[in-house]
Amino acid sequence: MTMRYISTRGDVHNSPKKTFTEILLGGLATDGGLYLPEAYPQITRDELDRWRGLSYADLAFAVLSKFIDDIPAADLKALVDKTYTAAVYCNGRSPEAAQEITPLRWLEPGLGLLELSNGPTLAFKDMAMQLLGNLFEYALTKKGEEINILGATSGDTGSAAEYAMRGKHGVRVFMLSPHGRMSAFQRAQMYSLQDTNIYNIAVRGMFDDAQDIVKAVFNDHAFKARYRIGAVNSINWARVAAQVVYYVKGYFAASQENDEKVDFAVPSGNFGNICAGHIARMMGLPVDRLIVATNENDVLDEFFRSGVYRPRSTAETHATSSPSMDISKASNFERFVFDLVGRDPAVIRELWARIDAGGSFDFTNTSYFTDLPQFGFVSGKSSHADRLATIRQTYEKYGLMVDTHTADGLKVALEKRVPGRPMVVLETALPAKFEETIVEALGRPPERPVAMQGIESLPQRFEVMDISVDAVKRFIEQHAGA
Ligand SMILES: *Cc1c(COP(=O)(O)O)cnc(C)c1O
């Protein structure tokens, strides 16, 4: 069967279906929707039996082959092997530990932490972004094309993107960040990169100012086409697909045999990570429940409890101590709602016309709300005080320091776990990235991986700019061959 992709807002009769490589370099579909497979490929019982025990790279090849059928198998295998190798996920660990890529650490019987943060930027985003870097380079080289990736970051996504794209042929990255507003560590992570295809632009403003510049450049269609401007944001389908793999790996690690079911708890912001869990479950992976954990920005928790989806304004969005989950709306959520409403793009168009106009929707008295439980979602939220308490308890009880986002996941997981069912909490970052809150919770800083020690004193490369769309465009013109 060939794998084709459709848009959540597509007209079934008029929108052409796409192949994987056709959607790889893009973001939104032209109709404003998000891409999904026309039908979810299924994992058979026989496959589960054969896959148990595979290495991460071999498993990733098996899973991704179900989504990618327009890259020759030998090439895909080579790309996956190069991505999921101990050398990239070593992070100061022994070669044996690094070999596992995503080891499961049991905190106590039935409660495990799936380590996803041993990549170059110490956050789970590396898991997918590193693959994206290799896929982009492969696809661009084949076509003899180039891409100029433009993005805005408040920290995590930008650094994951830069570390994935550094030195890649055919790729340049222009990453905007708010001048003086990231932690010294985050600045050092990004600005100390000396690769000539990476450009850091520090904007004299807030994250939203940087984000607005990026949107303005994307809206200049002529400029966008002339300079082949692209994005690597969390709605990119390849990122979601790559994330499906660690649910399968985590399932095998947490279960003894394939009749068992496992629950996953996921610190959530843009719903990208847990959307991959939803897809793994739809593919037939024996996942019972998917626990959505939010921080004070509880748009998602509110939906799963009440059936009301009400994105917040920027003014209503809280700056919290788990900043990578500070979202006003969850950009990948549309993918799940598409499945919930029976994959009817007309319904999605109608719902998102309201959302895009700053409104909300309410499923309370609809059959969609009655259907919701069959998708396995359960949700909860946490506050700054909860986060501190969880970090303390985890350290006292298990001798382990967890980061603030993982703490949010752990807090909700502990509330929702049921006896006899393994609960796997996804670790989304290492505590070294969020030193300040760890010191607040424990009175001492987290250990830093050896490779990251003293990075604040390395020479930095970045350009400071006013909040000006024209200045950013001129900079791109000067550095990106048209
Ligand atoms: C991005 C991020 C999240 C949220 O993931 P989503 O895919 O946006 O739901 C959680 N924790 C950390 C550390 C992150 O970087």
Side-chain angles (χ1 to χ4, degrees):
M1 194 189 85
T2 49
M3 176 55 68
R4 291 292 176 272
Y5 291 87
I6 55 171
S7 161
T8 52
R9 301 189 200 178
D11 176 334
V12 195
H13 301 294
N14 292 317
S15 306
K17 293 169 185 171
K18 305 274 181 123
T19 68
F20 178 83
T21 52
E22 283 170 339
I23 63 169
L24 171 64
L25 299 169
L28 290 175
T30 42
D31 54 33
L34 278 66
Y35 286 112
L36 273 178
E38 187 176 17
Y40 291 122
Q42 294 299 300
I43 304 173
T44 63
R45 173 61 195 242
D46 182 50
E47 280 170 326
L48 279 181
D49 291 344
R50 280 187 286 121
W51 289 359
R52 189 175 272 279
L54 288 187
S55 70
Y56 195 95
D58 288 344
L59 188 61
F61 175 67
V63 173
L64 291 168
S65 296
K66 291 187 173 278
F67 294 116
I68 307 173
D69 59 3
D70 59 342
I71 293 179
D75 292 359
L76 182 62
K77 181 79 173 75
L79 291 169
V80 164
D81 284 349
K82 175 168 136 187
T83 305
Y84 299 111
T85 160
V88 176
Y89 295 89
C90 66
N91 185 16
R93 300 177 302 161
S94 70
E96 300 77 53
Q99 205 59 51
E100 277 219 54
I101 312 291
T102 60
L104 181 73
R105 180 199 293 256
W106 289 109
L107 299 179
E108 61 181 56
L111 180 66
L113 192 70
L114 189 64
E115 292 185 23
L116 302 178
S117 315
N118 290 308
T121 73
L122 315 184
F124 88 98
K125 290 190 173 70
D126 290 328
M127 292 299 303
M129 206 72 94
Q130 289 285 319
L131 179 69
L132 208 61
N134 288 326
L135 284 170
F136 270 35
E137 184 176 53
Y138 173 86
L140 290 163
T141 306
K142 260 204 151 167
K143 293 202 236 175
E145 288 176 5
E146 295 189 345
I147 196 171
N148 292 299
I149 292 167
L150 176 66
T153 187
S154 51
D156 278 359
T157 310
S159 57
E162 291 187 355
Y163 281 75
M165 301 296 167
R166 59 190 296 201
K168 294 282 185 259
H169 298 287
V171 185
R172 287 182 206 86
V173 178
F174 297 88
M175 192 57 68
L176 277 56
S177 51
H179 185 44
R181 294 187 186 272
M182 294 190 299
S183 72
F185 178 74
Q186 284 178 315
R187 282 201 300 273
Q189 253 192 327
M190 290 177 56
Y191 300 172
S192 68
L193 287 180
Q194 299 299 326
D195 307 75
T196 51
N197 70 327
I198 304 293
Y199 299 94
N200 283 300
I201 301 175
V203 178
R204 290 192 186 89
M206 315 278 285
F207 168 72
D208 289 322
D209 299 313
Q211 182 75 45
D212 287 345
I213 295 175
V214 169
K215 282 187 193 151
V217 175
F218 272 96
N219 281 331
D220 182 341
H221 298 288
F223 184 90
K224 184 172 174 243
R226 176 155 8 109
Y227 291 100
R228 299 181 176 280
I229 306 290
V232 290
N233 45 25
S234 79
I235 54 145
N236 179 287
W237 164 253
R239 284 183 62 185
V240 178
Q243 290 172 178
V244 170
V245 179
Y246 53 67
Y247 284 89
V248 184
K249 189 82 174 110
Y251 170 75
F252 288 135
S255 62
Q256 305 288 320
E257 39 101 17
N258 298 328
D259 293 321
E260 281 177 57
K261 290 209 165 184
V262 171
D263 289 345
F264 285 91
V266 188
S268 294
N270 273 319
F271 206 74
N273 196 353
I274 201 160
C275 187
H278 160 69
I279 291 167
R281 192 174 179 277
M282 297 294 277
M283 292 170 77
L285 188 72
V287 173
D288 190 31
R289 296 179 308 158
L290 292 161
I291 320 291
V292 182
T294 77
N295 63 17
E296 292 88 333
N297 298 291
D298 58 353
V299 199
L300 290 168
D301 179 42
E302 181 174 275
F303 174 79
F304 286 105
R305 276 187 297 101
S306 71
V308 175
Y309 182 58
R310 186 179 67 85
R312 313 295 200 248
S313 65
T314 6
E316 277 180 295
T317 306
H318 309 269
T320 75
S321 46
S322 43
S324 300
M325 290 154 62
D326 293 350
I327 48 103
S328 51
K329 56 177 189 283
S331 46
N332 271 290
F333 188 55
E334 184 173 333
R335 287 195 160 106
F336 166 65
V337 177
F338 184 62
D339 288 337
L340 179 62
V341 303
R343 302 200 133 211
D344 185 342
V347 175
I348 296 294
R349 285 198 294 272
E350 198 264 316
L351 292 173
W352 258 267
R354 280 189 252 164
I355 296 298
D356 292 342
S360 60
F361 59 77
D362 180 355
F363 281 172
T364 317
N365 292 312
T366 67
S367 61
Y368 305 137
F369 197 53
T370 342
D371 291 344
L372 191 54
Q374 82 196 44
F375 291 92
F377 285 100
V378 171
S379 74
K381 63 190 260 191
S382 66
S383 65
H384 181 69
D386 294 328
R387 215 162 286 137
L388 295 180
T390 307
I391 292 170
R392 264 183 225 122
Q393 283 157 17
T394 309
Y395 190 61
E396 282 160 17
K397 208 163 165 196
Y398 312 115
L400 177 72
M401 277 193 203
V402 290
D403 101 286
T404 50
H405 307 76
T406 307
D408 289 340
L410 201 48
K411 186 253 179 192
V412 180
L414 289 168
E415 284 169 1
K416 305 291 179 190
R417 68 198 282 229
V418 291
R421 163 117 335 130
M423 169 73 79
V424 174
V425 180
L426 301 195
E427 172 208 76
T428 57
L430 288 192
K433 291 198 91 165
F434 303 95
E435 256 172 26
E436 222 176 283
T437 312
I438 302 298
V439 171
E440 188 183 345
L442 301 175
R444 50 174 291 198
E447 239 175 72
R448 266 204 204 171
V450 182
M452 307 274 168
Q453 285 167 15
I455 58 166
E456 288 92 336
S457 56
L458 294 174
Q460 299 189 350
R461 246 179 99 240
F462 63 99
E463 201 75 29
V464 182
M465 266 181 221
D466 287 332
I467 305 173
S468 157
V469 177
D470 283 335
V472 170
K473 281 185 180 167
R474 267 200 310 277
F475 185 84
I476 295 174
E477 279 164 8
Q478 282 160 12
H479 294 92

